[in-house]
């Protein structure tokens, strides 16, 4: 980046334009600030919205708030900003993830170089040049872009801007996931903002419990469906195999973004090939039979006919969403609501948050807690198993890898 053209006072010229009510394309989508030196464009092709670098009433700046909530990571500066239309990227490898990017100033003062933390800074990628890597600083500091890169709007500009709360930011970001062109005014429309009933600590009876939880599970299911169905991948490379049951198996890497989509055996995926001169278009649904150590997915296809096994590149993969686990939750809750004898009195009242006397289950505890063929349990796993065996109902929680599934 070269600062030759920098003229900090230029910025004042834009103050007067602001607030006259005409919406310009590059106005911050949260607060309306439109000073070109203070806004950046989110560079994700499906988004390309503009945001400013002011915090307003929130703890991070508007642009950082947006990037975090929308899981977007690339930005582009405004053409009329001091640095001109520039996509921020690593000078060495071209990485555009602004959360990894930092800068080093040159000894000549008017030039800085952008460098990513991983891998370029850590492998000392610029060591042969005249840059002092120990001077590297991240571009985002305290949830704000550095002000020399994207200016913070003046106090006057901020006062004239729309005052948006963190709660409204959450809502508009949620709405953008289904309607990218939604505006803040759309939040006022009926239906958009209908809040479900809040959960309670105590419930009158199982009907009331179901009344509160059924809509929440419905919301969760809708969200899960939307997330999973939006995770299609193109340009997937496949290698083929045949299982012992003579079914076709496709192996491929299906990258998961931010862990939202963790595949497990049993999940269904659709594998597609759009066809070429020698192959007609083809698609088949299959289910995941395993995930290899190399993060490859093994998909057993339902139909073995017409599979283009001599093709390896250019496949697409979609997630086939299944409602099974949500249907089970709804049906269990319905049984709970209509049939008082579906669970013991203790569990019934306990789930509803009523005061119930602690019950111990009399059980002869086993001598050893391990299971054949599985690793020995550690002390806290043994404690968990022991306590579960002695109580009518237990809730076990723990971070990934602590043994909830296997133990
Ligand atoms: Zn975006
Ligand atoms: Zn803003
Ligand atoms: Zn890099």
């Amino acid at each position: 980046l070269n600062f030759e053209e920098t003229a900090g006072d230029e910025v004042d010229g834009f103050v007067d334009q602001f607030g006259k009510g005409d919406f310009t394309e590059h106005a911050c989508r949260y607060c309306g600030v439109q000073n070109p030196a203070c806004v950046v464009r989110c560079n994700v092709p499906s988004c390309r919205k503009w945001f400013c670098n002011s915090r307003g009433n929130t703890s991070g700046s508007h642009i950082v708030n947006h990037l975090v909530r929308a899981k977007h990571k690339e930005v582009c500066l405004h053409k009329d900003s001091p640095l001109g239309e520039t996509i921020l990227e690593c000078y060495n490898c071209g990485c555009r993830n602004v959360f990894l990017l930092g800068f080093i100033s040159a000894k000549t003062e008017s030039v800085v170089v952008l460098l990513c933390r991983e891998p370029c800074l850590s492998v000392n990628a610029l060591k042969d040049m005249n840059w002092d890597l120990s001077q590297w600083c991240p571009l985002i500091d305290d949830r704000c872009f550095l002000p020399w890169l994207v200016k913070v709007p003046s106090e006057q500009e901020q006062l004239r801007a729309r005052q948006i709360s963190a709660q409204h930011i959450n809502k508009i970001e949620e709405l953008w996931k289904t309607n990218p062109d939604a505006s803040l005014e759309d939040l006022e429309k009926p239906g958009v903002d209908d809040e479900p009933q809040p959960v309670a600590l105590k419930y009158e009876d199982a009907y009331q419990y179901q009344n509160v939880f059924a809509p929440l599970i419905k919301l969760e299911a809708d969200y899960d469906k939307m997330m999973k169905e939006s995770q299609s991948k193109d340009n997937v490379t496949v290698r083929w195999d045949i299982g012992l049951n003579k079914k076709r198996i496709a192996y491929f890497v299906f990258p998961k973004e931010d862990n939202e989509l963790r595949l497990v055996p049993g999940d269904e995926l659709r594998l597609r090939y759009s066809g070429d001169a020698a192959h007609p278009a083809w698609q088949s649904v299959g289910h995941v039979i395993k995930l290899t150590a190399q993060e490859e997915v093994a998909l057993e296809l339902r139909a073995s006919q017409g599979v283009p096994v001599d093709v390896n590149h250019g496949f697409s993969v979609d997630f086939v969403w299944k409602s099974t686990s949500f249907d089970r939750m709804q049906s269990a809750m319905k049984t709970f609501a209509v049939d008082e004898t579906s669970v013991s009195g203790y569990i019934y009242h306990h789930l509803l948050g009523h005061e119930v006397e602690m019950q111990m289950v009399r059980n002869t505890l086993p001598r050893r807690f391990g299971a054949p063929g599985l690793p020995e349990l550690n002390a806290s796993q043994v404690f968990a198993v022991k306590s579960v065996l002695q109580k009518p109902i237990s809730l076990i929680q723990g971070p990934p890898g602590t043994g909830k599934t296997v133990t």
Side-chain angles (χ1 to χ4, degrees), residues 42 44 47-48 51 66 70 72:
C42 173
V44 171
C47 179
R48 295 175 83 87
F51 296 93
H66 167 70
H72 296 166

PDB file of all heavy atoms in Angstrom, residues 42 44 47-48 51 66 70 72, ligand 1:
ATOM      1  N   CYS A  42     -17.926  -5.220   2.110  1.00  0.00           N
ATOM      2  CA  CYS A  42     -17.709  -6.649   2.325  1.00  0.00           C
ATOM      3  C   CYS A  42     -17.524  -7.255   0.940  1.00  0.00           C
ATOM      4  O   CYS A  42     -18.306  -7.018   0.042  1.00  0.00           O
ATOM      5  CB  CYS A  42     -18.915  -7.252   3.033  1.00  0.00           C
ATOM      6  SG  CYS A  42     -18.826  -9.035   3.172  1.00  0.00           S
ATOM      7  N   VAL A  44     -17.523 -10.417  -0.093  1.00  0.00           N
ATOM      8  CA  VAL A  44     -18.131 -11.712  -0.423  1.00  0.00           C
ATOM      9  C   VAL A  44     -19.139 -11.476  -1.551  1.00  0.00           C
ATOM     10  O   VAL A  44     -19.998 -10.608  -1.433  1.00  0.00           O
ATOM     11  CB  VAL A  44     -18.808 -12.310   0.826  1.00  0.00           C
ATOM     12  CG1 VAL A  44     -19.632 -13.530   0.470  1.00  0.00           C
ATOM     13  CG2 VAL A  44     -17.756 -12.655   1.872  1.00  0.00           C
ATOM     14  N   CYS A  47     -22.726 -10.830  -1.001  1.00  0.00           N
ATOM     15  CA  CYS A  47     -23.033  -9.817   0.010  1.00  0.00           C
ATOM     16  C   CYS A  47     -22.752  -8.413  -0.525  1.00  0.00           C
ATOM     17  O   CYS A  47     -23.646  -7.677  -0.882  1.00  0.00           O
ATOM     18  CB  CYS A  47     -22.221 -10.111   1.278  1.00  0.00           C
ATOM     19  SG  CYS A  47     -22.477  -8.936   2.621  1.00  0.00           S
ATOM     20  N   ARG A  48     -21.502  -8.069  -0.629  1.00  0.00           N
ATOM     21  CA  ARG A  48     -21.057  -6.769  -1.164  1.00  0.00           C
ATOM     22  C   ARG A  48     -21.762  -5.575  -0.538  1.00  0.00           C
ATOM     23  O   ARG A  48     -22.017  -4.559  -1.186  1.00  0.00           O
ATOM     24  CB  ARG A  48     -21.194  -6.747  -2.700  1.00  0.00           C
ATOM     25  CG  ARG A  48     -20.245  -7.761  -3.352  1.00  0.00           C
ATOM     26  CD  ARG A  48     -20.422  -7.854  -4.834  1.00  0.00           C
ATOM     27  NE  ARG A  48     -19.688  -6.814  -5.546  1.00  0.00           N
ATOM     28  CZ  ARG A  48     -18.415  -6.915  -5.923  1.00  0.00           C
ATOM     29  NH1 ARG A  48     -17.722  -7.985  -5.626  1.00  0.00           N
ATOM     30  NH2 ARG A  48     -17.835  -5.950  -6.587  1.00  0.00           N
ATOM     31  N   PHE A  51     -20.125  -1.137   5.096  1.00  0.00           N
ATOM     32  CA  PHE A  51     -20.244  -0.888   6.539  1.00  0.00           C
ATOM     33  C   PHE A  51     -19.168   0.106   6.961  1.00  0.00           C
ATOM     34  O   PHE A  51     -18.108   0.183   6.347  1.00  0.00           O
ATOM     35  CB  PHE A  51     -20.091  -2.187   7.341  1.00  0.00           C
ATOM     36  CG  PHE A  51     -21.178  -3.169   7.061  1.00  0.00           C
ATOM     37  CD1 PHE A  51     -21.007  -4.141   6.083  1.00  0.00           C
ATOM     38  CD2 PHE A  51     -22.381  -3.117   7.746  1.00  0.00           C
ATOM     39  CE1 PHE A  51     -22.021  -5.037   5.787  1.00  0.00           C
ATOM     40  CE2 PHE A  51     -23.397  -4.010   7.458  1.00  0.00           C
ATOM     41  CZ  PHE A  51     -23.214  -4.973   6.483  1.00  0.00           C
ATOM     42  N   HIS A  66     -20.393  -6.984  11.305  1.00  0.00           N
ATOM     43  CA  HIS A  66     -20.967  -7.693  10.162  1.00  0.00           C
ATOM     44  C   HIS A  66     -20.138  -8.919   9.791  1.00  0.00           C
ATOM     45  O   HIS A  66     -20.675 -10.008   9.600  1.00  0.00           O
ATOM     46  CB  HIS A  66     -21.084  -6.769   8.943  1.00  0.00           C
ATOM     47  CG  HIS A  66     -21.358  -7.541   7.683  1.00  0.00           C
ATOM     48  ND1 HIS A  66     -22.561  -8.165   7.453  1.00  0.00           N
ATOM     49  CD2 HIS A  66     -20.564  -7.855   6.625  1.00  0.00           C
ATOM     50  CE1 HIS A  66     -22.496  -8.815   6.294  1.00  0.00           C
ATOM     51  NE2 HIS A  66     -21.295  -8.646   5.770  1.00  0.00           N
ATOM     52  N   ALA A  70     -21.849 -12.526   9.930  1.00  0.00           N
ATOM     53  CA  ALA A  70     -22.165 -13.163   8.648  1.00  0.00           C
ATOM     54  C   ALA A  70     -21.103 -14.191   8.278  1.00  0.00           C
ATOM     55  O   ALA A  70     -21.223 -14.864   7.269  1.00  0.00           O
ATOM     56  CB  ALA A  70     -22.277 -12.101   7.555  1.00  0.00           C
ATOM     57  N   HIS A  72     -18.225 -13.577   7.147  1.00  0.00           N
ATOM     58  CA  HIS A  72     -17.525 -13.093   5.959  1.00  0.00           C
ATOM     59  C   HIS A  72     -16.150 -12.598   6.401  1.00  0.00           C
ATOM     60  O   HIS A  72     -15.964 -12.245   7.558  1.00  0.00           O
ATOM     61  CB  HIS A  72     -18.320 -11.970   5.289  1.00  0.00           C
ATOM     62  CG  HIS A  72     -19.646 -12.434   4.758  1.00  0.00           C
ATOM     63  ND1 HIS A  72     -20.645 -11.587   4.363  1.00  0.00           N
ATOM     64  CD2 HIS A  72     -20.117 -13.689   4.559  1.00  0.00           C
ATOM     65  CE1 HIS A  72     -21.679 -12.289   3.937  1.00  0.00           C
ATOM     66  NE2 HIS A  72     -21.396 -13.568   4.068  1.00  0.00           N
TER      67      HIS A  72
HETATM   68 ZN1  LIG B   1     -20.813  -9.541   4.028  1.00  0.00          ZN
END
